[in-house]
Amino acid sequence: MSTTEETKPQLIPTKIWKCRNADCKAWVRDEFAVESQLCPMCKGPMLRSMRHLPAVQNKIKRKPKPKNEYGL
């Protein structure tokens, strides 16, 4: 099975956090990272970097509708 240009996802420059440990291959997209990001695999320090990745469509978290006094 061969891939064509139409089936390849468009890659865009994306900010990431990658593990400083050369033996660890872990990385996290910046939009999914926390403020004091530690490596999710080895718990070591991480550094900012860039990678060309396919775009991700984040789901919007909706607030639950407030219930009225009757619980409906």
Side-chain angles (χ1 to χ4, degrees), residues 1 3 5 15 17 20 27 34 48 53-55 58 66 69:
M1 192 188 221
T3 59
E5 288 295 320
K15 294 177 185 176
W17 288 88
R20 283 190 170 167
W27 60 273
V34 293
R48 294 188 80 158
L53 302 169
N58 295 335
E69 62 186 272

Side-chain angles (χ1 to χ4, degrees), residues 31-72:
E31 60 213 42
F32 299 119
V34 293
E35 197 170 310
S36 59
Q37 182 68 43
L38 291 177
C39 177
M41 299 180 82
C42 72
K43 307 298 183 215
M46 299 195 67
L47 62 102
R48 294 188 80 158
S49 185
M50 294 287 287
R51 233 182 223 193
H52 287 81
L53 302 169
V56 172
Q57 189 173 31
N58 295 335
K59 293 183 179 179
I60 299 171
K61 293 183 180 179
R62 295 184 181 174
K63 294 181 181 178
K65 292 182 180 178
K67 293 183 179 180
N68 62 18
E69 62 186 272
Y70 301 109
L72 300 175

Side-chain angles (χ1 to χ4, degrees), residues 15-32:
K15 294 177 185 176
I16 65 164
W17 288 88
K18 68 179 185 177
C19 185
R20 283 190 170 167
N21 184 354
D23 297 328
C24 185
K25 302 292 183 194
W27 60 273
V28 178
R29 287 179 186 256
D30 188 51
E31 60 213 42
F32 299 119

